[in-house]
């Protein structure tokens, strides 16, 4: 894992956008894995800015999102479908984008369909990740064993509390999610992991120890041949 430390969140987003720009120049029809959460908001704003300025072209690229709450309606402002449209897909043209369907009646069938769709697209070239306070990637929560492909997962108390900040007092927070598995993430050719903010410093420290802590799902990334960790000083504990 290659680690690059930046002074600010803005610089982090610029550096991550540069990696995506380079990927799109090399392969305009790249298959991009995308994430949700507060950390990626600045990067998506940078994608929108660069795309508007004609500096990045996503029009031949495909996008696959990591996860979606379950069950949730796409029209719910808390859905990741809504988040992605609002932050990115309504502003930047992609050849296509796909997000696990939080409205699916049969979640197992939806997970199998999603994996087949990623495979048919040729697999993910460049995967974007954030990290949960508990070390989750996507919604692969700390566990004794880890899923390979997309699956229905129970969210842990830590993730429910961390993400409750996005939900209003009258909004129902789904207790489950459909998430790409550790295997799906690991099969990506390249991975960019963004970590920002002092509240992520304890989990970043455990990841950066360079040991496989099996209760920190992100540690599996240490075994991947092409992971770039982009982190700010606050998260790095500097
Ligand atoms: C969310 C998502 C993850 C994300 C992480 C961190 O719940 N499922 O894909 O990376 O938790 O979110 P944030 O960037 O808001 O801290």
């Amino acid at each position: 894992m290659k680690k690059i430390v930046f002074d600010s969140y803005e610089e982090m987003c610029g550096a991550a956008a540069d990696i995506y720009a380079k990927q799109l120049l090399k392969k305009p029809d790249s298959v991009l894995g995308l994430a949700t959460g507060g950390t990626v908001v600045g990067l998506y704003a940078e994608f929108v800015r660069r795309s508007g300025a004609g500096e990045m072209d996503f029009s031949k690229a495909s996008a696959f999102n990591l996860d979606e709450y379950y069950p949730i309606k796409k029209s719910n402002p808390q859905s990741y479908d809504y988040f992605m449209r609002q932050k990115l897909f309504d502003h930047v043209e992609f050849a296509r984008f796909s997000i696990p369907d939080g409205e699916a009646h049969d979640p197992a069938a939806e997970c199998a369909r999603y994996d087949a769709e990623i495979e048919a697209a040729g697999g993910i070239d460049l995967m974007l990740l954030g990290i949960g306070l508990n070390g989750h990637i996507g919604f692969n929560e700390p566990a004794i064993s880890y899923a390979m492909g997309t699956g229905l997962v129970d969210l842990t108390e830590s993730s429910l509390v961390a993400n409750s900040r996005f939900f209003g007092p009258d909004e129902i927070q789904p207790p489950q999610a459909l998430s790409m598995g550790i295997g799906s993430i690991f099969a990506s050719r390249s991975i960019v992991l963004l970590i920002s903010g002092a509240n992520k410093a304890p989990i970043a420290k455990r990841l950066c120890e360079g040991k496989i802590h099996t209760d920190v799902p992100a540690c599996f990334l240490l075994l991947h041949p092409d992971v770039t960790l982009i982190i700010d000083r606050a998260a790095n504990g500097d």
Side-chain angles (χ1 to χ4, degrees):
M1 188 167 70
K2 181 176 153 194
K3 174 168 141 180
I4 316 175
V5 185
F6 290 92
D7 286 334
S8 69
Y9 173 67
E10 290 69 27
E11 286 172 273
M12 274 179 61
C13 293
D18 288 346
I19 293 175
Y20 272 77
K22 208 182 276 182
Q23 173 70 33
L24 288 169
L25 279 181
K26 188 175 73 179
K27 189 182 174 198
D29 61 346
S30 289
V31 179
L32 306 176
L34 296 178
T36 49
T39 310
V40 296
V41 168
L43 175 59
Y44 293 163
E46 186 62 9
F47 283 171
V48 172
R49 190 193 67 72
R50 291 192 190 196
S51 154
E55 296 168 19
M56 284 179 84
D57 179 10
F58 292 85
S59 66
K60 295 189 176 62
S62 302
F64 286 93
N65 260 79
L66 267 172
D67 48 19
E68 176 59 284
Y69 287 114
Y70 189 82
I72 199 160
K73 291 217 178 304
K74 293 185 205 319
S75 57
N76 185 327
Q78 301 309 333
S79 75
Y80 287 165
D81 197 285
Y82 191 98
F83 174 99
M84 289 306 299
R85 286 173 198 274
Q86 198 197 37
K87 304 286 185 221
L88 188 63
F89 298 141
D90 282 352
H91 314 286
V92 175
E93 185 195 351
F94 280 76
R96 67 161 166 167
F97 56 86
S98 209
I99 301 173
D101 184 0
E103 297 182 13
H105 293 297
D106 180 346
E110 168 57 12
C111 292
R113 185 204 65 74
Y114 199 63
D115 285 341
E117 194 185 342
I118 295 172
E119 200 183 325
I124 293 169
D125 293 307
L126 180 55
M127 180 84 232
L128 175 66
L129 298 176
I131 190 170
L133 290 170
N134 61 4
H136 75 215
I137 47 177
F139 267 131
N140 293 279
E141 302 280 33
I144 300 170
S145 64
Y146 290 90
M148 293 302 285
T150 305
L152 178 64
V153 295
D154 295 327
L155 302 184
T156 60
E157 192 59 25
S158 160
S159 298
L160 289 169
V161 170
N163 286 350
S164 64
R165 71 190 194 275
F166 296 115
F167 289 81
D170 300 329
E171 291 178 316
I172 295 167
Q173 191 176 2
Q176 291 182 298
L178 305 175
S179 177
M180 283 188 196
I182 291 288
S184 325
I185 294 168
F186 208 84
S188 308
R189 289 170 195 99
S190 301
I191 298 173
V192 174
L193 170 63
L194 301 184
I195 310 184
S196 170
N199 65 334
K200 296 280 174 74
I203 198 68
K205 188 169 179 229
R206 288 201 83 200
L207 171 66
C208 293
E209 278 168 12
K211 295 179 195 161
I212 305 293
H213 297 289
T214 52
D215 61 336
V216 179
C219 280
F220 287 102
L221 300 173
L222 297 169
L223 300 170
H224 191 283
D226 188 357
V227 178
T228 304
L229 166 60
I230 294 182
I231 186 166
D232 59 18
R233 295 210 174 279
N236 202 42
D238 295 350

